[in-house]
Amino acid sequence: MRADEMVSLYFREAAATIDLDERYYEVLETSYREIDAQVPVHRDDGSLAVFRGYRVQHNGARGPYKGGIRYHPEVDINEVRALASLMTWKTALLDLPFGGAKGGVTVDPSELSERELQALTRRFTSTISHILGPLRDIPAPDMNTDAQVMAWMMDAYSSKSGYSPAIVTGKPLAFGGAPGRREATGRGVIFSLDEAMTRRGYSLAGSRVAIQGFGNVGTYAAETAVEFGATVVAISDIGGAVAREDGIDIARAMEHVATGRSVVEMDDVDVIDGDAVLTVPCDVLIPAALGEVITTANQGDIKAEWIAEGANNPTTPAADKLLYERGVHIVPDVLANGGGVTGSYFEWTQNIQQFTWDEADFNDRLSKRLREATNETMNTAQRHDISMRRAAFCIAIQRVADASKMRGYA
Ligand code: NAD
C-alpha cells in the first residue's frame, strides 16, 4: 500500500471513531500548500543537471510547519504529501506548537560531490525560502540529509534574512544544535515503550529486545533499553543480523558500527538470517529501519508481545489488524518515534530564546512529554476499546480540527 493510502486509511478510521464532522475532511486530508520546483545544479564536469524538489505544508493550524527534508532517488510528491500529513498528526499528538510538513529532492546524493551537494542544497533552499521562516516553516534532516545539510540550509537562508538558527533543526552542536537531539528519537522510543509496558503490568527491565536497524534510531534505542535493564538479544543492519542469547554488548556494537562496519562483522555474536531479527524469541521488537517490514506474511511468526515502532510505517495495515487481534501491544510510530520532532522542538525553542539547556534537562523534558502522550493515547484506546494507533490518530485529529475551527479555517 502506498504511504498516502496508508495515512488516509488511518485518518478515516480515526475520524469515524471520533465522529468528526464531514466538513473537516477536506481541510484536514489535503495539503495547505505544495511546491514542486526545478533545482538546477552545475556539475563538476561543467554539465547542468536539473533535479525536482518538493516542500509540502500539510496543516499549520497549531503552529509553524515542521518536517524533514529527504534526498532520495525515489522521492515523489505522493510520498512527501503523505509524510507531511503524518507530521501534522505527530506534532499534534505530542502537543507541540507545530503543524506538519515534509520536503525532498529526487536525487541520489551518493552520486554527487560535496560541492554539488552543497550547491543543490543552497539552490533548493532559495527556491523554497519564501515559505520558510522560524515562525513559518522549519525543516529538519531526514533520509540522506544530516547536520551538514542543515548548516548549509541555515546559511543560505540567513544570508538573505539575517542570522536565523531557528530556521532548521538538527543543526551541528557547533552552532545552534541541542545536546540530546541526536539521541532523542531512539531514547523516545524507549520512554514511550517503558511507560506503556509499566501501565499494562509488564516490565522493560529484564525484557529481551530485538532491534531491526542499527542506525540513529536503533543504536540509541538499544543503548537506552540497556540503561532500563533490558537485554538486547538481536540487532541488524543492511548487512544482516546477529544474535546473542545472553545479550549483545551494545556499547561495543556502537563503537564497531561507528567505524563503518556492519554488525555481522562483530565478534562474540551469532550471525542469523537478516529477516530473522523480526521473529527471534524475545519480548519486545523494535523495527527501526524501513517501512512495511511487518506484513501478513511474517506477522504470525513474531514472538514478541510488544512492538515499538521506531521506523515510520513499519507495519502494514493488514498485519497491524491481525497483530492487534492476537493481543500484541503496538506502540505506534506516530507516538514511539515522536521523540525526534520533540527534540527538534526543544532545539528550536532554545534557538528562539538564544538560551541553552544541558542534556539532562533536555532528557527529563523529553521523557515527560513522551510519557504524557503515551498515557493520553492509552486513555483514549481504553475509552473506545481501540488500538493505540487509532487512539493516537483520534487525539491528533481532534486537536487539529479544534484549532482549525477556532482559527476559522473550517
Ligand atoms: P539511519 O540511516 O541512521 O539507520 C538506518 C538503519 O537501518 C541502518 O543501520 C541501516 O543499515 C539499516 N537498514 C537499512 N536497510 C535495512 C534492511 N533491509 N534490513 C535491516 N536493516 C536495514 O536511519 P534512522 O535515522 O535510524 O531512521 C530509521 C527509521 O526511523 C526510518 O524509517 C526513519 O524514517 C525513522 N525515523 C527516524 C527519525 C530520526 O530522528 N532519525 C525520526 C522519526 C522516524
Side-chain angles (χ1 to χ4, degrees):
M1 189 183 273
R2 282 188 353 212
D4 52 335
E5 293 167 340
M6 215 186 277
V7 179
S8 170
L9 175 75
Y10 292 141
F11 172 87
R12 291 198 163 232
E13 284 175 348
T17 304
I18 58 170
D19 241 343
L20 184 74
D21 193 322
E22 288 270 335
R23 74 199 173 95
Y24 291 109
Y25 276 61
E26 195 173 348
V27 166
L28 299 190
E29 277 198 294
T30 57
S31 319
Y32 168 68
R33 174 157 52 188
E34 299 185 346
I35 289 188
D36 174 343
Q38 56 171 227
V39 188
V41 174
H42 291 284
R43 303 292 305 259
D44 293 342
D45 64 6
S47 64
L48 184 71
V50 182
F51 301 98
R52 295 242 42 105
Y54 313 96
R55 184 68 177 171
V56 173
Q57 296 176 332
H58 174 257
N59 187 293
R62 302 185 72 261
Y65 299 94
K66 186 88 192 81
I69 303 272
R70 56 175 57 181
Y71 289 171
H72 195 274
E74 278 155 34
V75 164
D76 65 31
I77 189 75
N78 275 327
E79 181 191 56
V80 175
R81 208 177 266 150
L83 294 168
S85 92
L86 208 55
M87 286 305 296
T88 299
W89 313 129
K90 203 175 284 185
T91 54
L93 176 67
L94 272 303
D95 207 7
L96 309 177
F98 290 134
K102 204 79 180 188
V105 179
T106 313
V107 59
D108 182 350
S110 67
E111 289 178 359
L112 300 187
S113 69
E114 190 174 320
R115 190 205 63 79
E116 291 167 341
L117 194 64
Q118 181 172 169
L120 172 97
T121 303
R122 288 180 180 278
R123 169 64 70 174
F124 177 58
T125 306
S126 42
T127 301
I128 62 171
S129 64
H130 60 294
I131 61 160
L132 300 182
L135 297 177
R136 284 179 186 274
D137 185 346
I138 307 129
D142 196 78
M143 207 181 278
N144 297 328
T145 55
D146 57 11
Q148 175 61 77
V149 172
M150 293 306 109
W152 291 327
M153 286 193 84
M154 181 257 180
D155 188 65
Y157 184 88
S158 295
S159 64
K160 280 191 194 156
S161 307
Y163 179 65
S164 313
I167 182 60
V168 286
T169 57
K171 293 179 292 297
L173 288 180
F175 67 92
R181 167 65 187 90
R182 191 182 46 168
E183 299 85 354
T185 310
R187 282 200 181 127
V189 170
I190 301 303
F191 293 149
S192 55
L193 172 70
D194 178 58
E195 189 67 24
M197 288 182 81
T198 306
R199 181 162 156 164
R200 289 195 176 154
Y202 290 76
S203 166
L204 179 56
S207 291
R208 299 163 66 74
V209 179
I211 303 177
Q212 182 189 48
F214 205 61
N216 175 270
V217 180
T219 51
Y220 295 114
E223 185 182 61
T224 314
V226 171
E227 282 165 19
F228 275 71
T231 304
V232 178
V233 293
I235 55 176
S236 75
D237 62 22
I238 196 160
V242 295
R244 188 180 158 117
E245 272 287 308
D246 61 352
I248 295 166
D249 183 336
I250 293 301
R252 277 186 53 199
M254 287 171 76
E255 278 171 27
H256 173 89
V257 297
T259 64
R261 289 175 292 170
S262 165
V263 293
V264 296
E265 295 167 62
M266 283 166 56
D267 301 327
D268 301 331
V269 289
D270 301 316
V271 175
I272 58 171
D273 184 64
D275 292 337
V277 72
L278 299 171
T279 54
V280 290
C282 63
D283 306 301
V284 175
L285 172 63
I286 303 179
L290 309 170
E292 300 194 68
V293 292
I294 300 175
T295 64
T296 50
N298 64 8
Q299 68 80 22
D301 299 324
I302 290 175
K303 323 266 181 325
E305 272 187 85
W306 283 84
I307 297 175
E309 296 182 336
N312 284 322
N313 294 327
T315 313
T316 66
D320 185 57
K321 191 162 178 285
L322 294 171
L323 288 162
Y324 179 65
E325 281 165 7
R326 73 177 175 87
V328 176
H329 309 268
I330 301 183
V331 187
D333 50 5
V334 66
L335 170 65
N337 69 32
V341 68
T342 305
S344 278
Y345 164 54
F346 293 164
E347 178 180 332
W348 174 80
T349 208
Q350 292 173 68
N351 293 154
I352 286 202
Q353 297 171 67
Q354 288 294 316
F355 182 78
T356 49
W357 312 345
D358 64 27
E359 193 168 347
D361 193 8
F362 184 106
N363 288 338
D364 283 350
R365 291 174 192 257
L366 183 71
S367 173
K368 189 163 177 283
R369 286 260 172 184
L370 267 294
R371 289 176 190 280
E372 273 171 14
T374 304
N375 274 303
E376 282 174 330
T377 304
M378 295 180 89
N379 292 344
T380 301
Q382 224 168 325
R383 192 162 60 247
H384 294 286
D385 192 19
I386 51 177
S387 67
M388 286 178 73
R389 188 186 314 281
R390 191 178 305 180
F393 274 82
C394 288
I395 295 169
I397 291 168
Q398 191 65 61
R399 284 184 180 157
V400 179
D402 289 347
S404 303
K405 182 168 184 230
M406 285 184 263
R407 291 185 63 169
Y409 297 163

